Amino acid sequence: MPAWCFQGEEQLDDGSGISWEDGTRRRQRRVYQTVNAVDGSLIDVNRGY
């Protein structure tokens, strides 16, 4: 099924000056919303529908 998938990265600024690339912190891409491109219904990617 064709779908629109809106993804992004979250960033945390705790004021410590440590970037996400330092130590164990890693940037992770996250799917915020998936929309069925045919009828516009929202798809829950965790449930698969």
Side-chain angles (χ1 to χ4, degrees), residues 25-45:
R25 296 181 182 186
R26 300 276 183 228
R27 288 186 183 180
Q28 294 183 2
R29 293 197 63 80
R30 178 175 179 241
V31 175
Y32 287 96
Q33 188 66 54
T34 303
V35 180
N36 183 329
V38 176
D39 65 7
S41 61
L42 301 180
I43 299 170
D44 185 340
V45 293

Side-chain angles (χ1 to χ4, degrees), residues 12-24:
L12 175 64
D13 182 4
D14 59 5
S16 67
I18 298 173
S19 73
W20 280 83
E21 302 303 319
D22 296 338
T24 59

